[in-house]
Amino acid sequence: MPTATTTPLAAATAAVPAAGTAGLRLAELAEANRPAQLPLLTRIAELLAASEAVTHLLVRGSLASGTADRLSDVDFVVGVHDRDLPAFTLALDDLMTVAGGALLPGWRDAIVADLGGVGFVFLVQHEGKLHQVDLYLAPASRISAIRQQIAVKVLLERTPAEITTSQIEQARRHLAALGKRPRSCTELLIEHLVLAVLLHKRIRRGQRFIAYAEWHLLHTATKDLIKTALAPASRFWGWYQLREELALTPIGRAGLADLDAAVTSPAVPTATDVDTALDRVLALTERACPHALDGLTDAISAYRTYLELA
């Protein structure tokens, strides 16, 4: 176990013997399907495999099934020893932004199916483009069950050290607490940025029903951002009593006007609608919770440049 002076990032990236990374089964994936994302997949796989905490790397989705196109995301299930899951989760943002090339901290995925773990979406720059990398962290004790639930290609499989009942319970409690923790304004802003990328992908693919669903998620994130910034002690659930709580101040009324503009937009957005919504949310954030932009200004500028180039 790491000593008390070990940083979370150092704990997550503790090196394994060279044979561990060499053991990645990338050739098997490449033989069946050589997608344009393979170099990025390789880079992220090698980064994750360098942690002693990681017991399994599984590729899922279109890259695993051989149906990937140029817009497909890189989608991993990452098995982490139950004992190490809390520390690894804590270190993941540093690992992906410092070493993985992610522009922003990860979005705690609200779309992915519950497989007994937790999902994060990162936007990673690679070869001049912005790519979506989905990491679903799961306790090593859950990997066998997950492999029976979804189709995957195995990139890495290590026999974990003994997993005790108390470690399984520790991981379960950590995941439960993570799911219940309220999101900050910064996390909600990142949710908007990730959803905008997803929506542009749906629009280009003509996936109208999925675009409708993710557009609603974006509006809900806007509502949550306004409430978190202006009514953090709200006793009301969801969309209830917004006007009563927020219309008491000029900034609250401006936020309600932003939200009204969002919910009266077309049910299925165009790319222009998504860009307009993003402009509105960034202005709203600067007005209502400017601290959420701390340290993200350059990253957001780069993000917008990549969106324009997509």
Side-chain angles (χ1 to χ4, degrees):
M1 292 294 289
T3 67
T5 58
T6 302
T7 65
L9 178 58
T13 56
V16 297
T21 301
L24 287 170
R25 303 175 194 170
L26 293 163
E28 296 177 20
L29 187 68
E31 272 184 32
N33 169 31
R34 185 172 287 277
Q37 296 89 337
L38 189 60
L40 175 60
L41 182 149
T42 302
R43 178 160 66 86
I44 301 299
E46 290 177 344
L47 175 64
L48 295 169
S51 170
E52 293 177 330
V54 172
T55 61
H56 298 79
L57 285 178
L58 314 175
V59 178
R60 62 184 296 196
S62 57
L63 287 173
S65 64
T67 58
D69 62 22
R70 66 182 184 85
L71 299 175
S72 294
D73 54 332
V74 175
D75 198 346
F76 287 103
V77 175
V78 185
V80 180
H81 195 291
D82 298 51
R83 171 199 62 213
D84 299 320
L85 187 66
F88 191 86
T89 304
L90 180 64
L92 187 61
D93 278 343
D94 284 345
L95 180 65
M96 289 299 294
T97 55
V98 174
L103 285 185
L104 299 159
W107 170 51
R108 200 169 74 210
D109 195 342
I111 300 173
V112 68
D114 183 4
L115 300 171
V118 60
F120 295 92
V121 178
F122 291 90
L123 301 177
V124 176
Q125 48 189 331
H126 179 71
E127 296 184 349
K129 295 187 181 299
L130 202 58
H131 294 268
Q132 177 185 339
V133 175
D134 297 347
L135 302 181
Y136 191 85
L137 305 189
S141 60
R142 287 283 308 157
I143 291 297
S144 178
I146 289 173
R147 290 174 67 172
Q148 294 177 26
Q149 291 176 265
I150 59 172
V152 297
K153 295 284 188 183
V154 178
L155 287 190
L156 180 71
E157 189 169 17
R158 299 185 183 122
T159 302
E162 180 186 2
I163 302 172
T164 66
T165 302
S166 63
Q167 290 167 349
I168 292 173
E169 179 60 21
Q170 175 192 20
R172 187 198 65 78
R173 288 197 306 268
H174 169 72
L175 292 170
L178 193 61
K180 292 177 182 177
R181 179 176 60 78
R183 290 169 296 171
S184 67
C185 286
T186 299
E187 289 171 316
L188 289 163
L189 174 60
I190 290 170
E191 180 168 356
H192 283 87
L193 299 173
V194 172
L195 286 172
V197 171
L198 269 60
L199 280 161
H200 276 292
K201 183 189 303 185
R202 306 309 179 195
I203 292 164
R204 288 198 292 273
R205 285 176 168 170
Q207 296 173 313
R208 289 174 56 81
F209 295 133
I210 302 176
Y212 168 84
E214 292 175 352
W215 191 226
H216 175 69
L217 281 177
L218 189 139
H219 297 339
T220 301
T222 302
K223 177 265 296 177
D224 290 343
L225 177 61
I226 294 169
K227 285 188 70 172
T228 299
L230 302 179
S234 174
R235 296 180 294 108
F236 300 101
W237 179 82
W239 294 80
Y240 288 94
Q241 302 292 318
L242 290 177
R243 193 165 299 281
E244 290 80 355
E245 287 194 314
L246 299 175
L248 304 176
T249 64
I251 195 169
R253 290 190 290 273
L256 286 173
D258 288 330
L259 190 57
D260 189 71
V263 301
T264 55
S265 59
V268 179
T270 65
T272 300
D273 292 329
V274 176
D275 292 340
T276 299
L278 195 54
D279 288 339
R280 187 167 54 238
V281 166
L282 287 168
L284 165 66
T285 303
E286 192 164 0
R287 199 168 59 237
C289 47
H291 61 277
L293 296 165
D294 291 349
L296 295 181
T297 302
D298 290 344
I300 291 173
S301 295
Y303 163 91
R304 302 194 76 165
T305 300
Y306 280 112
L307 275 192
E308 291 171 6
L309 295 174

